[in-house]
Amino acid sequence: MSRIAYVNGQYVPHRQAVVHIEDRGYQFADGVYEVCAISHGRLIDETLHLRRLARSLGELRIPPPMTEPALQCVLRETVRRNRVDHGHLYLQITRGVAPRDHAFPAGDAPPSLVVTVARQNRERLAKLAGTGVAVVTLPDQRWGRCDIKSIALLPNVLAKQTAREQGAYEAWLVDAQGYVTEGASTNAWIVDQQGRLRTRPLGSDILNGVTRQVLIGVLEAQDVALLEEAFTVAEVHTASEAFISSSTAILLPVIQIDGKKIGTGQPGPLTQRLRAAYRKYSAPIG
């Protein structure tokens, strides 16, 4: 069947989905987005995604395009019309259409809302979870408000492309002090030489990943201590385990960094345990 997209009040065939050439998302990257996993036809961690969406909109002073209950109906209807059991939903809201000017448009420019749904290659993800992935490190060249899930992703795109060209799955971005911030599209974790699970604390330099939030609850239930403390690339080299987290990939073991083996070079036991436990605590909403 053909894919269906939601664009500003209408459900349309995906190939016919368009936005205006003066949409501020197209011309200024003036907007925000969310990516939500779909499992058994239902949105995973929907409440957390909508909470983060509201925060991002508030930080950029973009009004919501509709009430939250109405938005939930749109999201679920888009999933239903696409008949996707397992995949992900992409939601984007921009400041809307207005004559090109850097300042906010005067008057009432309604926000633009686009929602799409895609199926996921579950077999590929399962294989990556079993074998582990490689990462490369790159300087973090993003803007100073990475806590906002902005559609301005050019530095992330360039980092991800460099990783792919070097045969890696992900790029870990490194700040001026030599500490890992996060991945181009994931949060970064290690089990350090002392056996402590570590990830960078929240701040304007990283996104508060929804999977990161849920995983913290998983850790508490599993009686696993977490140290929210930045780590250096040198500490990754001596770590016993490492992994990445995101809504679409959940947890993937990292077994190599910049061509050097991490730990045994195989997915670590804690990573595998947490990946298995995650699904029990990440429940569909509604």
Side-chain angles (χ1 to χ4, degrees):
M1 62 172 290
S2 61
R3 293 172 62 191
I4 302 297
Y6 176 91
V7 182
N8 293 327
Q10 293 185 314
Y11 296 95
V12 296
H14 190 272
R15 64 183 178 275
Q16 298 175 14
V18 295
V19 295
H20 196 282
I21 59 171
E22 287 191 315
D23 188 283
R24 289 179 63 90
Y26 172 67
Q27 296 196 339
F28 292 110
D30 188 3
V32 301
Y33 76 103
E34 284 289 331
V35 178
C36 186
I38 302 167
S39 180
H40 301 287
R42 303 178 73 187
L43 296 171
I44 301 298
D45 302 321
E46 179 183 350
T47 297
L48 294 177
H49 282 285
L50 292 178
R51 184 182 303 161
R52 187 173 63 182
L53 175 67
R55 180 184 181 277
S56 294
L57 289 171
E59 291 295 311
L60 295 186
R61 291 189 279 168
I62 298 175
M66 58 184 66
T67 66
E68 185 171 297
L71 179 57
Q72 288 178 304
C73 289
V74 167
L75 302 185
R76 295 171 188 178
E77 179 63 12
T78 306
V79 173
R80 187 192 71 79
R81 291 189 182 219
N82 283 278
R83 301 179 186 177
V84 170
D85 290 327
H86 299 279
H88 64 267
L89 176 144
Y90 178 84
L91 155 68
Q92 178 174 298
I93 299 172
T94 73
R95 203 177 302 277
V97 176
R100 192 179 189 281
D101 184 7
H102 284 72
F104 294 173
D108 298 323
S112 295
L113 170 62
V114 173
V115 183
T116 58
V117 169
R119 288 178 170 80
Q120 188 175 54
N121 189 334
R122 301 175 72 199
E123 291 76 17
R124 176 175 178 268
L125 279 178
K127 182 178 179 180
L128 292 175
T131 61
V133 300
V135 302
V136 295
T137 58
L138 295 169
D140 194 340
Q141 298 178 329
R142 301 171 302 163
W143 75 317
R145 290 302 308 275
C146 297
D147 55 306
I148 300 171
K149 200 165 177 66
S150 161
I151 61 175
L153 294 173
L154 185 56
N156 307 65
V157 168
L158 294 174
K160 187 75 79 168
Q161 179 62 24
T162 298
R164 297 294 168 85
E165 290 171 352
Q166 296 184 19
Y169 179 86
E170 177 62 302
W172 275 6
L173 308 176
V174 182
D175 66 20
Q177 289 73 46
Y179 290 92
V180 174
T181 51
E182 58 185 342
S185 62
T186 60
N187 287 119
W189 310 70
I190 65 167
V191 178
D192 68 16
Q193 204 169 27
Q194 290 74 45
R196 302 173 299 181
L197 178 61
R198 290 165 62 183
T199 194
R200 193 176 180 100
L202 294 180
S204 62
D205 43 17
I206 71 166
L207 182 71
N208 187 11
V210 165
T211 302
R212 180 189 188 280
Q213 296 175 51
V214 176
L215 184 54
I216 289 174
V218 172
L219 296 172
E220 293 173 354
Q222 294 282 315
D223 196 27
V224 176
L226 171 65
L227 182 61
E228 293 187 75
E229 179 181 276
F231 50 84
T232 65
V233 176
E235 288 178 298
V236 182
H237 290 160
T238 61
S240 60
E241 296 184 45
F243 61 88
I244 54 178
S245 64
S246 72
S247 293
T248 53
I250 307 179
L251 275 70
L252 288 181
V254 175
I255 60 171
Q256 186 183 102
I257 182 169
D258 295 330
K260 299 178 181 178
K261 182 173 66 175
I262 296 176
T264 64
Q266 300 292 326
L270 180 59
T271 304
Q272 294 174 310
R273 171 183 160 194
L274 293 178
R275 180 177 170 84
Y278 174 89
R279 294 185 182 277
K280 297 180 181 179
Y281 296 90
S282 179
I285 303 298

